[in-house]
Amino acid sequence: MSSLISTDLVGLDEDLGGTSTDVIRALAARVAASGRAGSADSLADDAIKREASVGTGVPGGIAIPHARSASVTEPTLAFSRLARTVGFGAPDGDADIVFMIAVPEGADGDHMTVLSTLARALIRDDFTAALRAAKTPADIVQLVDDEVSGEVAETRGATAASAAGATSASSSAADATGDGARRPKLVGVTACPTGIAHTFMAADALVAAAKRLGADLQIEPQGSGTVTPLDPAVIAEADAVIFAVDVDVRDQGRFAGKPVVRGPVKRGVDAPDAMVKEALAAAKDPNAARVAGTAGAAGAAAGSTAEKQGFGSSLKRWLLTGVSYMIPFVAGGGLLLALGFLLSGYEIAGNAATVLTDYSLVNLPPEGLIYFLGAAAFQIGNLSMGFLVAALAGYIAYAIADRPGIAPGFVAGAVAVFMGAGFIGGLVGGLLAGFAAYWIGKPDVPRWLRGLMPVVIIPLLASIFASGLLVLVLGGPIAALTVALTDFLNGLSGTGAIVLGVILGLMMCIDLGGPVNKVAYSFAVAGLSAGSISDNPAPLMIMAAVMGAGMVPPLAMALASTVLYRKGFSQVERSNGTAAWLLGASFISEGAIPFAAADPLRVIPASMVGGAVTGAISMAAGVTSQAPHGGIFVFFAIGNLGMWALAIVAGTVVSAFVLVLLKKFVRRGAAAGADASAEAAEAGSVVGQRSPVAA
């Protein structure tokens, strides 16, 4: 395995600029200059995007910006000891030690283990002190090489397991404290989106905190490398669970019924003692939140109860889970349908099955190879789209009842399609199947029956209940409602269509990936399965309006900050504006988040005005989209592309001009308002948000 770091990747006591963006770009250029990345700009953009979601600063003056990037050719570390400290979002101040971790898309397990080992070392005072005391770049290289090779790695009771496996707070098998009392037993999971650094740093920080507080904590870091699951016996004995995660916990049902404390992975790094104290308190509280799931699903003790959340919050989570799992079917299927139309024309919708039955690659139809390939693309896309309602229902049920809910949910979704109930029937069927599976699996059953519950009894009874209700009672009325809704949407024209477009545009821009945005986006995606260019274009029109409006905020921020009113934005905002051109064109709303976080009272209203304009024009012009995401890069899936582009340009220009006017003539009350905007942007203090497609 080649060395991760060399002296040409190290800089000591240097000034790389006053912002995290400046530092990241300088280190990315250093990686590219060493021949380890094909494009410094591409690597920097990937790392800056990661930084915008959650700051990579950690306590102790350390920052670890990192990214997976297609431009990186081999796993690489770049290092800088800064003469001028820079903010990376750490709770205790700016960073003077910066490690940039650059990872190729397909990095192997050995490299991921090495990188995780380094990340864990960065929370140790002895290692960071040695970095600050180093005299030459060669000293830094030696320190890193020694650490990751294990030559100077200390045996720490808090990190007895391997970097890729479970981490334990106990250095011996003893379960008792010094006075003979039983030590509290905790388990946990840490996970971050990239699975490179924070996952392992949080694991070690939590384990060390548990040791200080007299508890036995075993952590399963769910990183990018090989994951060693916690022993089921350890989970069964645990008094409480800690989830320090930014992504879904893999196989969460193992922990069903355990008292749980949840938080972002960065809290596990920044405030591990607080999380452990909360877990110890939850273990003694009979009313504490508990991991959702059933005893049958988890194979844990019977009688587990769901985490206590408001019904509205839970319902939103269930529905968005279903939509998020449905999106890949929509994305792939919709783009294949559009590709089929592009290659073979719209008439292929009625001929694809016949063409593929009667002809082959060695017996092409009279229209030729391109027509045949278009028929194949359309048919594959059509079959993929056929799974939408079933996938929606199946994963709604999964969100409620874990894996035992999947089968009855899929069956209920298929029944909804059969009954003509569409995606509304899928929503109802998924909820019914999920609730049925959850309640059927909740009662305690004899040990000999537990193995049959999740694979036979729960799917059977829940399918009978949910699908039976749809067939015998609910399917007909829901089908009638679906027909009425379809007729209403298809009948919208003129003012009605424009009003709907305005509402959708406002919803897409009001919170930039928040709950309101997700409602509009989920409504559009869920309706795609019923859309048809010739028979039912309304859902496709809604999708086009939603995607176009969602592109406006980042494009408007880019136009305002880089063209119309450069002096009204800080240097960092202008840099973010340059990146926002591409993000907006791709329908990725993160491009507008740094601006909204720094100046929400002017950015959000301006974005909403532009989004409303785009939505109104798109709906009025009858623009359609068969793709749920992709922005201008799925142009071939857009019907009436010229008017869609005009709608986006009009919304962008209006939004940008409104923002410029607000910045010029509407001042914030605080005297230091303008400075605060720049400081917020330059400190990287942006609250993590997601794009509209993220669920």
Side-chain angles (χ1 to χ4, degrees):
M1 183 168 59
S2 60
S3 177
L4 293 168
I5 191 169
S6 54
T7 54
D8 58 334
L9 293 166
V10 176
L12 298 181
D13 306 318
E14 55 186 351
D15 187 341
L16 298 184
T19 71
S20 59
T21 298
D22 295 335
V23 174
I24 289 172
R25 291 200 178 280
L27 292 177
R30 189 171 292 170
V31 173
S34 72
R36 295 169 178 248
S39 169
D41 289 339
S42 178
L43 171 57
D45 289 343
D46 290 335
I48 291 168
K49 180 180 177 182
R50 171 67 182 85
E51 193 72 28
S53 63
V54 179
T56 57
V58 296
I62 309 295
I64 46 168
H66 54 276
R68 289 180 178 275
S69 177
S71 66
V72 178
T73 57
E74 60 179 300
T76 301
L77 298 171
F79 174 85
S80 178
R81 192 170 67 200
L82 300 176
R84 175 167 44 148
T85 60
V86 174
F88 279 82
D92 62 342
D94 295 348
D96 65 320
I97 297 292
V98 181
F99 266 105
M100 183 172 184
I101 303 176
V103 183
E105 292 290 353
D108 60 39
D110 288 343
H111 277 116
M112 297 311 302
T113 298
V114 167
L115 291 172
S116 68
T117 301
L118 174 68
R120 305 175 100 135
L122 289 172
I123 66 171
R124 294 200 344 259
D125 292 340
D126 61 327
F127 184 64
T128 55
L131 294 174
R132 290 189 171 94
K135 302 296 185 183
T136 67
D139 292 339
I140 298 294
V141 172
Q142 187 64 50
L143 280 169
V144 173
D145 285 345
D146 286 348
E147 182 64 33
V148 299
S149 67
E151 293 177 9
V152 298
E154 299 178 4
T155 301
R156 302 184 301 278
T159 54
S162 69
T167 302
S168 172
S170 60
S171 57
S172 71
D175 291 338
T177 61
D179 58 3
R182 177 185 179 274
R183 295 170 62 93
K185 290 181 177 293
L186 305 174
V187 293
V189 173
T190 57
C192 64
T194 54
I196 298 172
H198 284 85
T199 297
F200 300 96
M201 298 176 77
D204 279 7
L206 287 166
V207 159
K211 187 176 182 180
R212 287 192 295 271
L213 295 169
D216 178 1
L217 170 61
Q218 295 196 38
I219 290 281
E220 179 183 307
Q222 295 184 352
S224 294
T226 302
V227 176
T228 302
L230 288 166
D231 188 331
V234 172
I235 297 175
E237 293 179 359
D239 301 308
V241 180
I242 297 174
F243 289 152
V245 297
D246 291 332
V247 296
D248 289 341
V249 175
R250 304 177 200 174
D251 200 9
Q252 181 174 295
R254 295 173 294 160
F255 306 94
K258 296 289 183 182
V260 64
V261 171
R262 290 182 181 269
V265 69
K266 202 164 187 297
R267 188 172 184 236
V269 179
D270 297 342
D273 291 82
M275 291 196 80
V276 172
K277 289 178 181 177
E278 291 169 14
L280 293 173
K284 301 176 182 178
D285 182 1
N287 297 317
R290 294 177 181 269
V291 180
T294 64
S304 63
T305 58
E307 294 176 60
K308 297 185 178 180
Q309 300 178 356
F311 179 77
S313 299
S314 296
L315 180 62
K316 181 184 74 173
R317 177 173 57 84
W318 299 331
L319 297 181
L320 290 179
T321 297
V323 171
S324 68
Y325 278 103
M326 183 187 72
I327 285 172
F329 294 95
V330 178
L335 291 174
L336 283 168
L337 288 177
L339 182 61
F341 289 139
L342 180 68
L343 297 177
S344 304
Y346 286 112
E347 71 276 2
I348 197 63
N351 302 332
T354 302
V355 170
L356 294 177
T357 301
D358 295 345
Y359 300 98
S360 67
L361 284 174
V362 296
N363 177 31
L364 292 172
E367 294 84 355
L369 175 62
I370 299 300
Y371 185 83
F372 180 76
L373 294 177
F378 177 88
Q379 191 63 22
I380 295 171
N382 194 40
L383 293 170
S384 176
M385 295 289 281
F387 286 101
L388 297 193
V389 176
L392 174 66
Y395 286 106
I396 288 174
Y398 165 74
I400 298 171
D402 214 300
R403 284 182 292 180
I406 293 178
F410 266 84
V411 173
V415 170
V417 174
F418 171 74
M419 297 294 294
F423 81 92
I424 297 178
L427 294 174
V428 174
L431 292 171
L432 289 173
F435 287 134
Y438 176 78
W439 288 107
I440 292 169
K442 189 174 182 180
D444 194 5
V445 296
R447 182 180 298 273
W448 62 268
L449 192 56
R450 290 177 189 171
L452 294 176
M453 291 292 289
V455 295
V456 177
I457 296 174
I458 294 175
L460 173 63
L461 297 181
S463 296
I464 292 174
F465 174 79
S467 298
L469 273 179
L470 285 174
V471 171
L472 300 176
V473 181
L474 300 175
I478 294 174
L481 176 62
T482 299
V483 171
L485 178 61
T486 300
D487 292 342
F488 169 74
L489 292 175
N490 285 333
L492 284 176
S493 61
T495 303
I498 292 173
V499 170
L500 179 59
V502 168
I503 294 172
L504 292 171
L506 292 172
M507 292 177 71
M508 287 300 295
C509 299
I510 193 172
D511 55 2
L512 297 176
V516 178
N517 169 286
K518 285 183 171 65
V519 168
Y521 183 76
S522 300
F523 171 67
V525 171
L528 273 184
S529 61
S532 168
I533 292 292
S534 57
D535 300 327
N536 184 20
L540 307 183
M541 293 167 58
I542 291 171
M543 189 72 253
V546 163
M547 182 155 61
M551 295 166 63
V552 166
L555 290 174
M557 298 305 107
L559 179 61
S561 63
T562 64
V563 178
L564 297 180
Y565 191 45
R566 291 176 56 86
K567 67 179 181 180
F569 296 85
S570 69
Q571 179 181 353
V572 174
E573 287 176 320
R574 291 194 294 271
S575 177
N576 288 334
T578 301
W581 285 112
L582 179 60
L583 296 175
S586 305
F587 183 35
I588 298 175
S589 68
E590 281 94 340
I593 290 171
F595 300 89
D599 191 5
L601 296 182
R602 290 184 285 197
V603 169
I604 295 296
S607 298
M608 292 173 66
V609 172
V613 169
T614 295
I617 295 175
S618 179
M619 288 295 292
V623 179
T624 60
S625 173
Q626 297 177 77
H629 209 272
I632 63 172
F633 298 103
V634 292
F635 63 90
F636 56 87
I638 306 297
N640 202 351
L641 178 62
M643 285 303 299
W644 190 62
L646 176 62
I648 295 170
V649 170
T652 298
V653 171
V654 168
S655 184
F657 272 104
V658 170
L659 178 60
V660 170
L661 291 174
L662 290 175
K663 279 187 171 288
K664 284 186 175 182
F665 300 112
V666 178
R667 302 295 180 185
R668 285 186 284 184
D675 293 337
S677 174
E679 289 174 7
E682 294 186 8
S685 56
V686 178
V687 177
Q689 300 280 348
R690 292 188 177 185
S691 66
V693 75

